[in-house]
Amino acid sequence: MKEIDTKRLKEIQIEIVDAVMKFCDENGIKCWLNGGTLLGAVRHKGYIPWDDDIDLGMLRPDYDKFMEIFNTKNDRYKFVSAENDAESFEWFGKVFDTSTILYEPDEKGERLSVYVDIFVMDNAPIDEREQARMFRKRDIYFVCNLGRKLPVFLRPTRGGLLRRLAVYGFRAVLRIFPRHYFVRELVRNAKKFSGTDTGLVGDFTGLRDAVCRREILEEMTELEFEGKKYKAPKGYDEWLRRLYGDYMKLPPESERVSTHVFKAYERD
């Protein structure tokens, strides 16, 4: 197998995006550059220089349709989330390139394939206190899902003996719950208002407390990303401000580092 460096990783990710966007266009599914990828398109016309992943976004009806039909029409690429795969701990979707193998952070860690993330935007309540409760629940389920996923005695990266004992105990308690209990509760929380059109949508499966008017994610424009044109919300400025605040301001130089540690290979 041939090892994949960061440059090749990005090339494969772009190939996945091209396949996903083409599929969505052919099947009447709305999909756009999202999160850090949308920010990169606006601010850098490509990847954020210290970043090496890709985020896409969909509204819940499009996401559900994509989840239902994508895997029936693709051999190389596979969509996976906890909603369609009983073995997955992912609370949002990933499209994998099955011609690759990717380990996070290395061969001792989780075995995946090179992927792009697909985040889903769900209906949000008008009441800001209810929004805050949904985000708090998401964060709790996220931490518990991570603890349930990790081996009980995997050594924490920080802290002394007392902290390690507390982490081991926390993980042991979480083993009482079924394997995918927390990720399914996280998704159920995100879909709480799925039958109520409030005019608002929120990122209840991501890690940012972002809510916006639904209409700004319904109309599309195109933005340049790595020399190609991709769909982006026409109201991307409002959405990015909800996600990042003053998004055109660069973070401190000390924070301009990648947090993605991986080892990846192309199959022979």
Side-chain angles (χ1 to χ4, degrees):
M1 294 190 296
K2 182 180 178 182
E3 187 167 355
I4 295 171
D5 60 14
T6 300
K7 180 177 181 293
R8 179 58 183 149
L9 177 83
K10 292 180 178 180
E11 291 172 350
I12 296 172
Q13 289 172 341
I14 293 292
E15 291 170 4
I16 299 173
V17 172
D18 288 342
V20 168
M21 291 294 194
K22 182 174 184 291
F23 179 87
C24 288
D25 286 343
E26 293 172 347
N27 290 275
I29 296 171
K30 196 173 296 180
C31 177
W32 64 81
L33 303 181
N34 193 53
T37 305
L38 178 59
L39 172 58
V42 174
R43 200 170 65 191
H44 306 280
K45 297 188 181 301
Y47 284 91
I48 295 173
W50 51 92
D51 199 7
D52 58 8
D53 62 5
I54 286 186
D55 303 327
L56 302 178
M58 296 180 184
L59 293 171
R60 175 62 68 176
D62 292 303
Y63 184 88
D64 287 347
K65 182 178 179 181
F66 183 85
M67 177 167 54
E68 180 182 356
I69 65 176
F70 183 77
N71 290 346
T72 67
K73 300 184 179 183
N74 284 274
D75 295 323
R76 177 176 174 179
Y77 302 112
K78 182 180 180 183
F79 176 82
V80 172
S81 77
E83 294 180 76
N84 76 339
D85 188 331
E87 295 303 310
S88 176
F89 279 97
E90 299 297 340
W91 57 97
F92 52 85
K94 291 182 182 292
V95 176
F96 292 108
D97 180 345
T98 60
S99 70
T100 67
I101 299 172
L102 181 141
Y103 298 96
E104 292 179 340
D106 53 33
E107 284 85 348
K108 295 180 181 179
E110 188 173 12
R111 175 172 169 151
L112 303 167
S113 298
V114 176
Y115 60 85
V116 302
D117 292 326
I118 300 184
F119 291 90
V120 55
M121 306 304 135
D122 286 285
N123 289 350
I126 295 173
D127 186 343
E128 292 185 1
R129 291 172 299 179
E130 180 61 24
Q131 294 174 14
R133 280 192 290 269
M134 290 178 68
F135 285 127
R136 283 197 300 272
K137 283 186 177 181
R138 176 205 61 191
D139 294 343
I140 292 169
Y141 291 139
F142 169 77
V143 171
C144 291
N145 181 60
L146 181 60
R148 179 64 180 83
K149 173 183 176 180
L150 294 173
V152 171
F153 293 106
L154 178 66
R155 186 184 177 97
T157 57
R158 300 188 308 275
L161 176 61
L162 289 179
R163 186 179 186 279
R164 291 203 305 275
L165 291 174
V167 169
Y168 298 152
F170 176 64
R171 291 177 187 162
V173 169
L174 293 177
R175 293 289 166 140
I176 297 171
F177 294 88
R179 177 178 168 86
H180 294 100
Y181 174 81
F182 297 109
V183 70
R184 287 170 182 162
E185 288 301 306
L186 190 154
V187 172
R188 186 177 291 113
N189 175 64
K191 296 167 74 171
K192 184 175 181 178
F193 286 84
S194 60
T196 306
D197 186 1
T198 63
L200 301 175
V201 292
D203 185 12
F204 296 108
T205 56
L207 295 178
R208 292 185 179 272
D209 298 358
V211 172
C212 72
R213 293 175 293 129
R214 184 187 186 94
E215 63 191 68
I216 75 167
L217 299 180
E218 289 183 320
E219 288 189 57
M220 294 290 115
T221 185
E222 287 189 335
L223 293 176
E224 182 179 342
F225 186 87
E226 297 298 325
K228 298 185 177 185
K229 294 284 189 177
Y230 294 105
K231 285 186 172 63
K234 198 169 185 180
Y236 64 81
D237 176 70
E238 182 175 337
W239 181 229
L240 285 173
R241 290 186 186 281
R242 295 286 184 175
L243 288 169
Y244 303 109
D246 183 7
Y247 62 87
M248 293 302 288
K249 181 179 179 181
L250 291 172
E253 195 164 337
S254 60
E255 296 179 16
R256 300 177 202 173
V257 294
S258 173
T259 59
H260 187 200
V261 181
F262 68 92
K263 294 281 286 186
Y265 304 89
E266 294 185 78
R267 298 178 188 270
D268 295 330

